[in-house]
Amino acid sequence: MATRQRGRPRSFDREAALRKATLTFWEKGYEATSIADLTRVMGIAAPSLYAAFGDKRTLFGEVVEVYATLFGGFGDRALAEEPTARRGFARMLREVAAEYTEAGRPRGCMVLSAAENCSSEEVVAVLRGHRLRNVVEFQQRIQRDVDAGVLPADTDAAALARCMAAVIQGMSQQARDGASRAELEALAEVAVRAWPEESPGG
């Protein structure tokens, strides 16, 4: 009698599962996302989830990195590729309007919204850290233009950086509240007009 060979375990696409978890945390927030939600969208049982990713908090740490890579890189590219900070932020805000209202995925920014009503101080601290690092990077980019004479010497780089961060946070919330891409683009244009004038050739 022939012996029956044991079937090989189903292959597990870790990257695909992480992407699905990212969309779920993005849509529902950290607190409201349950392990049952995650196992359902990721297509794995709870023991497999814990074995592959650890607990919910550890999984969320990976999700934040996935979000930054797949969905959050447009801002860094705008600041790196445009010749001045003002042009970089103008492009970033236009792309925020498009990205935060993209069809087929949650609205707004996960890093800005996922910690709403969250009881985990660790999760709140992780997301706060990401936001604060963005402000620091904004300030550094603006200050380079001040030092180079592209922006007036009396430009308050720290205040302008926080202003841009506040605009982006507001655009995220307005997107989640139903604002259209066109409405957010109009907001972006107003925000850019708040910038000091660049020197000729800037």
Side-chain angles (χ1 to χ4, degrees):
M1 180 176 178
T3 58
R4 182 178 179 183
Q5 293 185 340
R6 182 175 300 175
R8 297 179 62 183
R10 181 182 302 175
S11 61
F12 173 59
D13 188 334
R14 198 174 194 280
E15 290 185 4
L18 269 173
R19 191 180 191 282
K20 291 175 182 176
T22 299
L23 294 172
T24 302
F25 278 121
W26 188 357
E27 177 67 34
K28 304 185 71 169
Y30 178 83
E31 194 76 14
T33 299
S34 67
I35 292 296
D37 293 328
L38 294 168
T39 56
R40 183 178 65 256
V41 299
M42 296 168 79
I44 57 177
S48 298
L49 185 151
Y50 290 122
F53 300 102
D55 59 13
K56 176 180 167 182
R57 165 66 192 88
T58 305
L59 170 61
F60 185 72
E62 287 199 52
V63 158
V64 172
E65 299 305 318
V66 170
Y67 176 84
T69 300
L70 294 181
F71 304 106
F74 64 90
D76 290 340
R77 289 192 296 272
L79 292 184
E81 293 172 3
E82 295 299 322
T84 67
R86 190 179 194 274
R87 294 184 191 182
F89 278 99
R91 170 178 158 183
M92 183 193 300
L93 294 180
R94 288 194 304 271
E95 294 183 0
V96 161
E99 293 287 336
Y100 287 4
T101 58
E102 179 72 23
R105 67 189 194 209
R107 284 179 156 242
C109 172
M110 191 194 77
V111 172
L112 297 174
S113 64
E116 292 177 1
N117 303 314
C118 182
S119 61
S120 170
E121 287 299 322
E122 189 176 3
V123 168
V124 171
V126 166
L127 296 179
R128 181 189 302 119
H130 275 265
R131 295 192 296 270
L132 292 178
R133 282 195 295 276
N134 285 340
V135 174
V136 170
E137 290 171 2
F138 290 177
Q139 180 177 342
Q140 291 172 342
R141 181 64 189 88
I142 294 166
Q143 189 63 50
R144 287 204 299 273
D145 276 13
V146 175
D147 295 342
V150 175
L151 291 171
D154 62 353
T155 300
D156 188 333
L160 189 52
R162 287 194 174 277
C163 177
M164 291 298 100
V167 168
I168 292 168
Q169 290 171 12
M171 291 174 75
S172 175
Q173 185 58 57
Q174 290 196 25
R176 291 180 74 83
D177 287 343
S180 67
R181 175 176 176 175
E183 289 170 330
L184 295 184
E185 287 175 339
L187 188 160
E189 290 180 10
V190 172
V192 173
R193 288 202 293 270
W195 277 66
E197 290 296 322
E198 296 179 342
S199 64

